[in-house]
Amino acid sequence: MTVAYDVVIVGGGHNGLVAAGYLGRAGLRVLVLERLGHVGGAAVSERAFPGVDARLSRYSYLVSLLPRRILAELGVRVELRRRRISSYTPWERDGRSGGLLVDASDERRTVESFRELTGGEREFTAWQEFYGMTGRVAQRVFPSLTEPLPSRAELRARVNDPVAWAELFEAPLGEALERRFTDDVVRGVVLTDALIGTFTHAHDPSLRQNRCFLYHVIGGGTGDWDVPVGGMGAVTGALAEAARAGGAEFRTGCEVVAVDPGGPGRPAEVGYLDADGVERRVGARWVLCNAAPVELARLLGAGGGAATRAGAGSAAGIGVGGEVAGGGGGPEGAQLKVNMLLRRLPQLRDQAVDVRDAFGGTFHIAESYRELENAYRAASAGRLPSPAPSEIYCHSLADRSVLGPDVPAGWHTLTLFGLHLPARLFVGDPDGARQAALEGVLAALDGVLAEPLADCLAVDADGRPCLEVRSPLDLEADLRLPGGNIFHRDLAFPFRAEGGDGTEGGIGGLEEGAGRWGVETSEARVLLCGAGAVRGGGVSGIPGHNAAMAVLGR
């Protein structure tokens, strides 16, 4: 087959767009194939409610891991707005009620909030010490994410802090939290960053929680999570413009069905169904896959690649053949995403805090240390957690541009992210379990409000409440995320593991060498450029950058 392109990119999510931008600007012929009718993947803004001009960040919604360096090198202009309020956590204890407010711009106010909860300043001091440590780790580790993948020893030397290395990279995170903090609410607030989209617990010996936590506290070298002005679609829209300006070609509505990695004297080939359902094939020197590793294994199996010997197409979990193995060996998501539009922000039982402050950061619900552990145990036993832990974010408080001019003043978007809701809980009765899970997270939220949330919901043009809910199974159906796993697979520490394996356990069953960039697979011409690469996960563009560097370096 004639080589029509230097690089074919499977999937037009944000990482694929970053890779296309770098490679196109380098003068390579680049084709991006996207199954959906638009690019952006999970990082899109959409009008979810008929007749209402509100552009919600439907799936991904905040930005932390996207290096400003990538934006500058691609000439991308987007505004990422800092949130003044870090978090708010309502609490009740010994007949008292209140809320732990962490104000990033007012230390005195934060100290007073800690004192009201704990009776002293010890926990706040421990908080400062712990996040001072993670901040130093962030400054040292984050720049390495866009450099060749270091060995474990090299990254440890770069961190240059034996205590930080032991607590974050070697021992279960729960040990550090229980040693440093004494308050149940404070411990829970810290632990939540280890559980986003990850079904695990504080003392998991696999350190799954540590890896998730690390990526949530190192973004930008600060750990800050910022609001993308205009919504997440503004970010991917700008990335797509940069890629097109560099000469990349896009074909949407085209589903890739097979990848043949080629061989000596033979180019790689990508088979896809075009927008009319006609099967076509295109040759390339390189194939970059922005889909999950288990999906790449399936595509290589369909294309005659070596992945067939690793059992491609029979991987446990959801998304390879459509079966669910009850959370067995395959990727599994563990979250509920609820998008809402409100006529007004609801009043809180805690009258001491302004609702705009409470909803201005991350609003934690039923996320004390004990509640998170109980929720994990319930879900592990096959039950929906009660109370159901979740956290809420209000985009429109920081950026009202996502609401059209006809949307009344005082209306707000609201995003709820439920934890410890693994895909296995939705398998037998997807619709019934989704509704039950929704009722669970809303009941927990109502428990800290002075009025029912239902009284605050706006209605769409059809008279229905502006509320949309997505389970892990829905994310698989919408975005082909295996098991609804928002990271494509378990996150990996950002170093080469001992023995030369670039990920702990390999990528989707594909054999790996050391991997200079953490994107390499067993097929020399096929690279990962999505969240399933080492140093993947989140809206970062890092795997896309690293895959592009791997191509350009050869």
Side-chain angles (χ1 to χ4, degrees), residues 186-436:
V186 176
R187 286 175 174 176
V189 172
V190 179
L191 181 62
T192 55
D193 277 336
L195 305 176
I196 300 298
T198 303
F199 188 53
T200 186
H201 59 96
H203 290 277
D204 185 345
S206 76
L207 304 187
R208 184 180 289 112
Q209 73 281 27
N210 292 50
R211 286 172 263 155
C212 183
F213 182 81
L214 182 70
Y215 284 99
H216 279 89
V217 298
I218 63 173
T222 64
D224 292 321
W225 286 80
D226 297 334
V227 177
V229 173
M232 200 61 80
V235 177
T236 50
L239 289 172
E241 287 182 14
R244 289 192 179 96
E249 178 183 342
F250 291 80
R251 296 181 193 172
T252 57
C254 294
E255 179 172 6
V256 174
V257 295
V259 172
D260 182 339
R266 186 167 60 86
E269 292 182 13
V270 176
Y272 68 96
L273 302 178
D274 68 16
D276 296 320
V278 177
E279 185 168 357
R280 301 186 182 280
R281 297 183 72 83
V282 60
R285 295 171 58 203
W286 298 90
V287 177
L288 272 54
C289 184
N290 195 23
V294 294
E295 180 66 8
L296 173 57
R298 185 187 67 80
L299 293 173
L300 284 167
T308 52
R309 63 177 177 267
S314 62
I318 314 167
V320 183
E323 301 85 16
V324 180
E332 182 182 30
Q335 69 287 317
L336 192 77
K337 178 77 189 298
V338 184
N339 294 313
M340 296 171 272
L341 185 65
L342 307 182
R343 293 182 293 107
R344 66 176 185 278
L345 291 175
Q347 293 300 307
L348 302 172
R349 294 177 64 183
D350 177 11
Q351 297 295 310
V353 64
D354 187 299
V355 294
R356 296 176 65 86
D357 284 344
F359 287 98
T362 299
F363 188 124
H364 296 280
I365 304 156
E367 289 189 334
S368 72
Y369 201 64
R370 185 177 299 108
E371 287 171 319
L372 289 169
E373 176 63 21
N374 291 339
Y376 174 79
R377 291 179 179 178
S380 295
R383 305 189 308 272
L384 289 171
S386 180
S390 67
E391 41 202 64
I392 283 178
Y393 152 72
C394 179
H395 185 111
S396 52
L397 278 171
D399 168 33
R400 193 169 172 80
S401 72
V402 297
L403 301 177
D406 295 331
V407 175
W411 284 35
H412 284 287
T413 63
L414 204 63
T415 290
L416 182 149
F417 191 95
L419 276 62
H420 285 333
L421 292 166
R424 67 190 77 173
L425 299 181
F426 298 87
V427 172
D429 179 12
D431 294 336
R434 184 196 305 111
Q435 181 61 30

